Amino acid sequence: HNNDIWHSLVACLMLWCMEHSASDVLNKLGEFCHKHRTYVNLRQILDRDKAKSSLGEQLAEALDDLEAAVATGNPVRIREKLTLPFGVRSAEGAKAEERMHDLKAVLEKVRVAVAKIDKGYVKLGLEEFEPLIQDINAIGLQTPEVEDAFRKFQSHRSKGAETSRQNATMSSLVAIDGSPHAPRPGGAPMSLASIAEEVLKKGRMTLEERLMAQDEFKALREEIQQLRHEKDQALNVARSAKAQAEEERSARAAAEEELAALIAAEASARAAADRSAGDLA
């Protein structure tokens, strides 16, 4: 309930600042909102700015740029447009920041998968990237990195499909005279040369599979270490958030006093403006 009152008061003060071009008061109001994590619905406030003041136009242009950046699906573009003039903290900006973090989370997973492909763990990287395609499309992530990742994915998938096709073709061709391209008649026995070649081929495949398993184990071990590191970071963030919450609770009383001072300053400025208007009259 108190937050609703604060939002209403801040909105009224912002409108007064726009109408009277009081940029200094608006800057102080932005500092107040930033300090006490107070958000306003900026679009609704701008709709109430009937005079279309210059300060309101600045805020409207910045908000339009932010919404356009959000529509691109590029977290870098969103980051560039997050800061609004006069330090105003808007509900639209909070939603944009939340979307930016969601986009960055998916982008980081894409980077991990691509890094494994680049390091030679192609199979593991492709297996991690494939389920990300649905997340990328669902969230609307669009960056040059993601485009490059899609190209790598398609390229390696095409190579894998071509290799499988060639292996299937070769397995259907059996040599009677030792030639790998001569078709084997139905029921004809394989030559000793063909049998030896098949045995060697199976031995090579077993070795390749073993090497791939070692690479995948190494990659999994690195991923476990990364997860442990992220867990430690998350614990540190949680401790920091707890400490910050305690500071906010202790500062709430001071915040109410600051808001009262701002209201008094606004009333004083309005009275001064009325006196000036009376003198001019």
Side-chain angles (χ1 to χ4, degrees):
H1 180 67
N2 289 335
N3 286 337
D4 292 339
I5 295 175
W6 281 22
H7 292 162
S8 299
L9 289 173
V10 170
C12 290
L13 287 171
M14 284 184 66
L15 280 171
W16 183 88
C17 291
M18 293 178 195
E19 293 172 359
H20 295 82
S21 298
S23 57
D24 53 342
V25 179
L26 189 55
N27 276 316
K28 291 181 180 179
L29 194 59
E31 293 174 3
F32 173 85
C33 291
H34 183 79
K35 182 177 179 180
H36 301 290
R37 307 177 72 84
T38 300
Y39 298 91
V40 295
N41 192 319
L42 184 56
R43 184 63 70 187
Q44 289 184 0
I45 295 174
L46 292 172
D47 290 341
R48 293 166 60 187
D49 182 23
K50 304 301 182 182
K52 301 301 177 185
S53 62
S54 60
L55 298 185
E57 291 295 334
Q58 292 181 48
L59 288 168
E61 183 178 356
L63 185 57
D64 290 342
D65 290 343
L66 175 60
E67 291 174 345
V70 171
T72 66
N74 188 329
V76 176
R77 295 279 302 278
I78 298 174
R79 167 62 69 183
E80 293 172 351
K81 302 297 181 181
L82 266 182
T83 303
L84 298 177
F86 313 106
V88 171
R89 292 173 64 88
S90 67
E92 296 87 349
K95 290 180 181 179
E97 187 172 5
E98 182 179 357
R99 174 164 169 73
M100 180 189 69
H101 289 309
D102 291 341
L103 291 167
K104 287 176 67 176
V106 177
L107 179 58
E108 186 58 32
K109 293 179 182 179
V110 171
R111 288 171 176 168
V112 170
V114 171
K116 290 178 180 178
I117 294 174
D118 292 341
K119 289 179 181 179
Y121 311 132
V122 177
K123 182 180 178 182
L124 186 60
L126 294 178
E127 288 176 351
E128 289 191 10
F129 183 78
E130 189 164 9
L132 289 176
I133 295 176
Q134 184 175 356
D135 295 338
I136 292 170
N137 292 331
I139 201 171
L141 176 62
Q142 299 181 41
T143 69
E145 283 184 84
V146 172
E147 293 174 2
D148 290 341
F150 268 110
R151 281 192 286 269
K152 286 185 180 181
F153 177 78
Q154 294 296 341
S155 175
H156 284 289
R157 277 296 185 212
S158 299
K159 290 178 182 177
E162 179 64 18
T163 301
S164 299
R165 187 188 66 78
Q166 292 176 356
N167 290 339
T169 302
M170 290 298 294
S171 65
S172 65
L173 301 174
V174 182
I176 298 176
D177 58 355
S179 171
H181 300 293
R184 176 189 181 186
M190 294 177 65
S191 66
L192 291 177
S194 298
I195 294 173
E197 184 181 353
E198 290 295 322
V199 171
L200 288 174
K201 186 187 295 183
K202 290 180 179 178
R204 286 195 298 271
M205 288 178 63
T206 302
L207 178 60
E208 290 172 1
E209 291 174 353
R210 187 183 308 160
L211 291 173
M212 183 174 290
Q214 291 175 353
D215 290 341
E216 291 181 357
F217 176 76
K218 181 180 177 182
L220 287 173
R221 186 170 58 187
E222 293 175 353
E223 188 172 352
I224 290 172
Q225 292 175 349
Q226 178 65 23
L227 289 172
R228 287 175 178 170
H229 178 67
E230 291 176 357
K231 179 182 177 182
D232 292 339
Q233 286 184 326
L235 288 174
N236 290 334
V237 170
R239 294 190 187 102
S240 177
K242 182 178 179 181
Q244 186 175 2
E246 292 176 355
E247 290 178 1
E248 289 179 358
R249 282 195 296 270
S250 63
R252 188 168 296 276
E256 293 178 355
E257 292 179 1
E258 280 192 48
L259 182 59
L262 280 172
I263 294 172
E266 183 269 341
S268 177
R270 183 178 295 177
D274 293 341
R275 286 195 298 272
S276 297
D279 293 341
L280 290 175

